[in-house]
Amino acid sequence: MNGYFNHSDWFVILFYLAGIIGLGVWFGRDQRTTRDYFLGSRNIPWWGIGLSIVAAETSALTIIGVPAMAFGGDIAFLQMVIGYVLARIILAIVVVPHYFKGEIYSPYQLFADKFGPAGRRTAGGMFLISETLAAGVRVYVASIPVKLMLGDKVLSLGTGDPIFGAIFLFVALSLVYTYIGGVKAVIWTDAVQFGLFLLGGLFVLYYIPTLVGGAFSQAAAGGKLHWLNVIPPAGVPWKTFLLGSPFNLWMGVIGGTVMVMSTHGAEQLIVQRVLACRNVSDGRKALTLSAVCVLPLFLIFLLVGALLWTFYQGHPFQIPLPEVKKGSGIGANDFIFPIFIMTEVPHVLKGFLIVAILSAAMSSVSSALTSLASVSTMDFVRHGLGGRSEEFYLRFSKYSTVFWAVALVLVAYVSREAKFVLNWAFSLRGLTGGALLGGLLLAVLWKKGRGTPLVAGMLTALVFMLLVLMLPKWDATRDFWMRWVGTEIFWPWYTLIGASVTLWVAWVLDRLLPKNKVKVSGS
């Protein structure tokens, strides 16, 4: 057992795990149809869904990595969150009404209504692949500091591999209530988990200034509270400033807005929650509430990182920062918040903060499981088979949830050995996000037509974004890239570029291909 914990800490952790599973099972009882399982019977209050939206996009990696970002730099990531807020407002006004035109289980049904089954399968397939890889990687990266916190003996599970134990812990515990209760259980446990990691961040924000006098003023003097970059520093070209790192206001307002329009408008992970609302009004309220919550949440954890920097200016690390292999997807600074919790926080409160990290990890896993099961069941199996009983599809939905849980465990475990999988998976959401957003915009704004221009546009965007990611890194093409572009393009711009390629290719092909009338069906 980890020597930094006592019985009171373990009681808090175990009480949380038992309570959250019991809560999920209670709220998710009486699931009789796929409508119940994937839409929560559309009787969940909008405020619960709004909190769930924020929890679904907040993984343990966020709770650990955002403070690490501020510790190593400043709180400039806050500029990205401005775009996160703007995107939700745009989606609430423009896109949400389209989700309630009939009984829709995923945004990819809109693709089928406009462009036939090919568009639906392409978009759904992109989501299944990207979300499986991204969620698996989130589990793996979160398991590394959690292994440090909970200890090897606790997590080995008889296998001798504590990393596998942490991976299995996250996925198995989340699977229990997701399998039984579907999206209703996920939404309500998300709402509770959101409260837990928000309170955890607020506590640390209060606690560190009690240990360090003038903590905020020291952070400000050290440049840790700097957040706004509007013009490039002296000697840095505008192109390099706008397209490359670090974060700047234009990147946040433009790139961040477009990116979240994809994640919250075209990816089932978040859209499934909006679809669970009773009507358009509730869907808009849920997205608006998430917009109100997301900026304070990120600000809290960015400030936590700045205060951790202040604290460790005058205090030694009680546990040395681990050496981290290059390309492992996690930096040494990602261990700082867990080390602080383990060594500087009083017992009981220490257990509570571990619970905050566990809750973020479980929330992201359960959200991935229910969204993956929904798309595979409703967009592929039910659409492809048809004519089966509701009991058959509900049973398949639950089996699908188990299948995706196994897939997440495998992806997470493979990521620890194959570093290239980890690196690619971190960027994959940005690589597919533009194609999905471009397709959604065509489905919402364009007239009915053939699926060929849409599918070609989405696939072209995916290939194009792979080149954007890889050309600056290959020795054979790096000089060419730097001569014509001048900088590696930072990930917040990926979605905008991919969406633009999708729209342009689809428009060109629609003009070039013969204008034969084709009946669109498959919704």
Side-chain angles (χ1 to χ4, degrees), residues 3-25:
Y4 291 96
F5 292 85
N6 66 13
H7 293 295
S8 61
D9 299 317
W10 284 111
F11 174 79
V12 172
I13 294 171
L14 294 175
F15 179 80
Y16 158 75
L17 293 175
I20 206 70
I21 292 173
L23 184 69
V25 172

Side-chain angles (χ1 to χ4, degrees), residues 74 148 196 199 272 281 286 333 377 411 464 475:
D74 51 35
L148 174 70
L196 289 173
L199 289 174
Q272 185 176 14
S281 177
N333 286 351
T377 301
V411 169
F464 187 87
D475 293 338

